[in-house]
Amino acid sequence: MSHTVLLHVGTPKTGTSHLQDVLFRNRERLAEQGVHYPAERFDGQFLAALDLMRMPWGGLETQAVGAWNALAAQVREADGLSIVSHEVLAAASASEVARALASLGHGDGTEVHLVLSVRDLARQVPAEWQENVKHRATLPYGRFLDKIRDPERRGRIPSWFWAVQEVPDILDRWGAALPPERVHVVTVPQPDAPRSLLWERFSSVMRLDGLDLDLDSERSNPSLGVPETAMLRRLNRKVNRVVEPAAYRPLVRELIAHRTLSQRTNTARLTLPPDVHPWAVELSDTWISEIRSRGYDVVGDLEEMRCGPPPKRYVDPDAPREKQVASAATTALRAVLEEHVRLLEERDRLVEERDEARWRADAALSSRVRARLEGNLAGRAAVRAYRWGRGRNSLSA
Amino acid sequence: MADPTPDPVALAHAWVAHLVDGGTTPWTDVLAAGSVPGRVLDAEADTAPLPGAQQLEVVRQLNARSAADGHGTHDPRLAAEVFAVAPPGRGALDLPLVGLPARTYGARPVDPAALPAPELLRVATGVLAERLVGELLPDEPTEPAARRVTGAVARHLPRRRAFRLAGPAVRVDGLRHRLAELGRRPGGRDATTYVVGAGMGRLVTDAWTTRVLDGAAPSWPEWLATWADRDACPRRADLAATADAWAERSGGPGRVEVLLDPGVLADLLAVRGPVRTTPAMPAAAVELLRQVSGVLGVLVDRPRRSRLLTEGLRPRLVGAAGPPLVVPAAYADWLTRRGQGLLGDLRAGGYRVHGPTDLLEHPLTDASVPGVGEPDDDRVLALALDTLADRRTP
């Protein structure tokens, strides 16, 4: 029976990919030090979350059948500290939360702690739109902003946005059954803070301080600039109906967005438009007051949830500079071509390898057959007859 | 007489209890009256979180169905079953009831009776999927050993008018069954393969239905737009590709014939009695299958999902009323182009085609045949609730 479970349920775009990569790549090292991060593959806990929430995800959900129960069983069997972390868990409903907590041993001797990492809305709103675009969305930024600010919240996009970003509501759903001292709110530092500060906060709340870990991360969820996101949205409109989700993920999301366009860091970053900024400021202030009143353990400073000043220069992704969009497009095209060339070379290499293996197998077989035939009189006669029949007196090379 | 200032939270809990007992009073009526029929409010009675407005409305509508059938057949398990399942997939979380103390954040409180059908459908399909998963399916039918042996022998013997059927499963399965009733089983040496088709419009809707029964499928408009964008024929509707595959397997195009009207099978096989395909399922039934399939995808593996849909849910939907799905007139040009292309491919392949080829050359859309161009959410919801209220096994 695991004594303590740290359950990190979001929010998205708060450094979760980096944290989960460090935990996954160090899982054996962590286990030796009494900390369990149950996952057979990098996205193992993501699949578990999809299973818990009955959440379709472009076909990935078919790999998630039974994943939550398997994860919970591993947690219950482990001794010491177990960590469960995925940001889509933020969208769990009250009944899913109850099921999750019970399955992890809450109320049955296990001490469950909730961790929620949070960031100011002025950065979260544009990041969420960009995340939608990286998941095939074609919705313009302005329309996205209108939808999420509509109090009716009708439709999938606003429903999802608020489910994973409305911090007090997430804390209501996930924290209602836990004492406030076991609810840990980790704030993401402002952009000018040292890069290591967020990790230090995660490390302290996850009880990883002092453990021997490799912190070099291979994965992150990097952000894109304005023209890059605008280009990607236009690309989605062209390819959504011809590229299946299983191909979109490696080709568009990983190759074009993450590995290529995210490297272009000298273009304008996405921000809130000046007319929307006050709305985010006001909402954040309400949330800070609400969270402060609850007596949770705050790791960092709730003041960091306050939105900074509006940007001095706003660049609208719905009306980008076409020259920059074209530049992003050619950069993406180059990456796709390079990948295509790499795959062609790989195909040629594999064909060559296959032909060579086939030739070797044929040669080995004919050599064995020849040796056997040459070993007896009848065989030698048969070989001679065969050569005569072929019209020449020696085997071809 | 009702309490003049009832605690709305106590009122809500009493309303939930009323629904669990089979009540049908809408929440806004309870709120306006300040009382729940037949219940005394008790502020201490329940402190558990309230279910979402979507779940409560689904229970109320199910109760209304039980009350309307005149048998008083309220099933006390139903409410617990609905409350246990969170609405699956993306959409609103548990919605708060209008009239309760408001929070400064969270979704806006709602009148459950005014919720749009898709929100209620999420709940209903979630419950249906959970119920299907909990059911035992009969074992896959296996032929008795003696039949297997005679069948294996028969497959290699010449037989008069030996045949086999190919084409979309939703079309072929019923025909195979009907022919078996008439004493004709497929197989035999040198059998002719009959590829069962229809007019181009019906071919497309059948291909769509087959795709839904096979597993995850996008929405009908999305699927249709994808194929139209590609200006291609949906794979399951491509009779020429099916014919080619069977020609290669069974000895050339002379062994394969295409039927645009399956009724001609009676003459071709010399059977006594009419041979017809089953009518198309109502659009709402196919859409319900699709939505339940989406939830099943997270609960069971693909083969079991397909069996649960085909053997568990589809039989419950047989006889459901409602118009079938028909390709919208907006796609007439694409449909005509594909139909003519298909006919050209069949002729180029050298296949004999039985039946009215003008249904390929000039396909019908929702402008010319009865049906709907898109499933209607309200009809799908009504069918989902009827299916949930009816606990009969298929």
Side-chain angles (χ1 to χ4, degrees), chain B residues 1-20:
Chain B
M1 188 178 156
D3 181 345
T5 54
D7 170 14
V9 176
L11 199 60
H13 281 292
W15 184 58
V16 173
H18 165 75
L19 296 180
V20 170

Side-chain angles (χ1 to χ4, degrees), chain B residues 161-227:
Chain B
R161 296 179 200 267
F163 74 98
R164 73 171 68 83
L165 301 180
V170 285
R171 245 175 133 59
V172 171
D173 288 352
L175 279 177
R176 232 178 246 135
H177 183 71
R178 172 67 182 145
L179 288 170
E181 283 176 348
L182 296 168
R184 298 302 304 272
R185 293 184 183 282
R189 204 175 73 190
D190 301 337
T192 300
T193 300
Y194 295 108
V195 178
V196 182
M200 194 62 207
R202 178 74 193 270
L203 269 179
V204 169
T205 52
D206 278 352
W208 161 247
T209 307
T210 308
R211 163 89 197 253
V212 166
L213 289 167
D214 278 352
S219 70
W220 159 250
E222 205 178 320
W223 182 83
L224 202 54
T226 300
W227 286 107

Side-chain angles (χ1 to χ4, degrees), chain B residues 318-330:
Chain B
V318 169
L325 206 54
V326 181
V327 178

Side-chain angles (χ1 to χ4, degrees), chain A residues 29-336:
Chain A
R29 211 182 280 197
L30 283 166
E32 288 163 11
Q33 299 171 89
V35 178
H36 303 279
Y37 181 73
E40 305 297 325
R41 49 193 263 191
F42 170 73
D43 58 356
Q45 297 204 352
F46 170 53
L47 295 177
L50 294 186
D51 179 37
L52 173 76
M53 296 154 67
R54 312 287 192 245
M55 181 76 70
W57 202 281
L60 263 183
E61 69 279 5
T62 55
Q63 300 171 40
V65 176
W68 179 266
N69 283 345
L71 172 76
Q74 282 180 276
V75 169
R76 286 197 309 271
E77 282 164 18
D79 285 323
L81 175 68
S82 292
I83 298 176
V84 174
S85 170
H86 206 277
E87 58 275 16
V88 298
L89 287 168
S93 68
S95 57
E96 287 157 353
V97 168
R99 185 183 148 216
L101 292 177
S103 64
L104 294 173
H106 176 62
D108 192 22
T110 299
E111 189 176 304
V112 176
H113 288 247
L114 183 78
V115 180
L116 187 71
S117 43
V118 298
R119 191 167 74 146
D120 66 275
L121 274 173
R123 286 185 285 172
Q124 291 295 73
V125 171
E128 274 289 341
W129 176 68
Q130 189 176 97
E131 210 46 37
N132 271 277
V133 173
K134 286 196 282 183
H135 285 87
R136 305 169 76 97
T138 56
L139 188 76
Y141 189 41
R143 186 86 189 93
F144 172 81
L145 292 170
D146 289 345
K147 273 180 174 281
I148 64 167
R149 286 182 299 153
D150 180 353
E152 293 295 332
R153 300 184 179 182
R154 288 260 168 90
R156 288 155 57 103
I157 284 180
S159 299
W160 179 257
F161 176 84
W162 292 110
V164 297
Q165 291 295 348
E166 194 162 34
V167 175
D169 191 49
I170 298 167
L171 290 166
D172 273 356
R173 281 180 272 122
W174 276 102
L178 301 172
E181 63 274 15
R182 287 197 206 155
V183 177
H184 311 276
V185 179
V186 178
T187 59
V188 174
Q190 288 293 330
D192 54 357
R195 286 178 65 85
S196 61
L197 188 54
L198 178 59
W199 172 256
E200 287 165 23
R201 290 177 183 175
F202 274 133
S203 177
S204 94
V205 78
M206 302 271 180
R207 307 180 189 185
L208 305 175
D209 283 347
L211 299 188
D212 176 24
L213 297 176
D214 172 10
L215 297 182
D216 287 337
S217 174
E218 288 171 353
R219 285 173 194 271
S220 62
N221 192 357
S223 61
L224 307 180
V226 170
E228 290 77 16
T229 316
M231 195 285 288
L232 201 56
R233 187 179 75 81
R234 293 179 191 180
L235 183 65
N236 289 344
R237 289 169 61 182
K238 292 284 180 198
V239 305
N240 271 356
R241 286 188 178 146
V242 290
V243 179
E244 295 289 331
Y248 183 92
R249 275 190 292 273
L251 288 175
V252 182
R253 190 174 150 81
E254 289 305 321
L255 174 65
I256 295 181
H258 287 174
R259 279 166 31 205
T260 307
L261 296 180
S262 72
Q263 308 301 313
R264 291 164 53 100
T265 52
N266 57 351
T267 50
R269 302 289 99 182
L270 277 171
T271 57
L272 280 181
D275 60 320
V276 179
H277 193 269
W279 162 81
V281 170
E282 191 182 332
L283 192 57
S284 300
D285 292 350
T286 319
W287 288 4
I288 292 167
S289 307
E290 179 68 35
I291 298 165
R292 190 164 275 145
S293 71
R294 297 187 186 182
Y296 298 139
D297 171 40
V298 176
V299 184
D301 188 345
L302 285 181
E303 289 301 311
E304 288 167 331
M305 279 184 79
R306 258 183 238 290
C307 302
K312 290 195 179 86
R313 194 173 70 90
Y314 172 65
V315 182
D316 184 357
D318 295 343
R321 287 179 60 189
E322 292 302 329
K323 200 174 164 188
Q324 292 186 342
V325 177
S327 168
T330 49
T331 304
L333 188 56
R334 177 186 157 156
V336 172

Side-chain angles (χ1 to χ4, degrees), chain B residues 4-269:
Chain B
T5 54
D7 170 14
V9 176
L11 199 60
H13 281 292
W15 184 58
V16 173
H18 165 75
L19 296 180
V20 170
D21 289 346
T24 59
T25 314
W27 166 244
T28 46
D29 289 3
V30 165
L31 202 58
S35 63
V36 179
R39 292 203 165 260
V40 178
L41 298 191
D42 180 358
E44 306 297 320
D46 203 341
T47 55
L50 288 164
Q54 311 96 305
Q55 292 156 303
L56 293 165
E57 181 60 16
V58 164
V59 173
R60 194 187 71 80
Q61 292 200 20
L62 286 169
N63 291 344
R65 273 171 168 69
S66 297
D69 75 6
H71 302 297
T73 52
H74 168 65
D75 184 343
R77 294 170 299 174
L78 209 52
E81 197 181 3
V82 175
F83 296 159
V85 177
R90 292 189 182 203
L93 297 174
D94 306 328
L95 290 167
L97 294 173
V98 70
L100 297 188
R103 298 182 302 173
T104 55
Y105 53 88
R108 181 180 272 193
V110 294
D111 168 9
L115 280 169
E119 283 300 342
L120 303 183
L121 252 176
R122 284 177 63 223
V123 177
T125 52
V127 179
L128 266 175
E130 291 281 353
R131 196 184 279 179
L132 283 170
V133 170
E135 285 177 3
L136 286 176
L137 284 176
D139 291 337
E140 299 256 25
T142 51
E143 278 187 307
R147 169 85 57 84
R148 282 208 301 276
V149 172
T150 53
V153 172
R155 269 194 291 277
H156 297 286
L157 292 177
R159 200 196 290 176
R160 198 173 63 88
R161 296 179 200 267
F163 74 98
R164 73 171 68 83
L165 301 180
V170 285
R171 245 175 133 59
V172 171
D173 288 352
L175 279 177
R176 232 178 246 135
H177 183 71
R178 172 67 182 145
L179 288 170
E181 283 176 348
L182 296 168
R184 298 302 304 272
R185 293 184 183 282
R189 204 175 73 190
D190 301 337
T192 300
T193 300
Y194 295 108
V195 178
V196 182
M200 194 62 207
R202 178 74 193 270
L203 269 179
V204 169
T205 52
D206 278 352
W208 161 247
T209 307
T210 308
R211 163 89 197 253
V212 166
L213 289 167
D214 278 352
S219 70
W220 159 250
E222 205 178 320
W223 182 83
L224 202 54
T226 300
W227 286 107
D229 260 18
R230 294 178 187 168
D231 200 12
C233 181
R235 193 168 51 83
R236 293 173 175 85
D238 192 346
L239 298 180
T242 310
D244 289 346
W246 278 102
E248 196 178 325
R249 223 177 293 177
S250 54
R255 294 276 173 79
V256 179
E257 298 181 17
V258 177
L259 314 178
L260 299 182
D261 172 14
V264 301
L265 266 176
D267 287 339
L268 291 170
L269 301 179

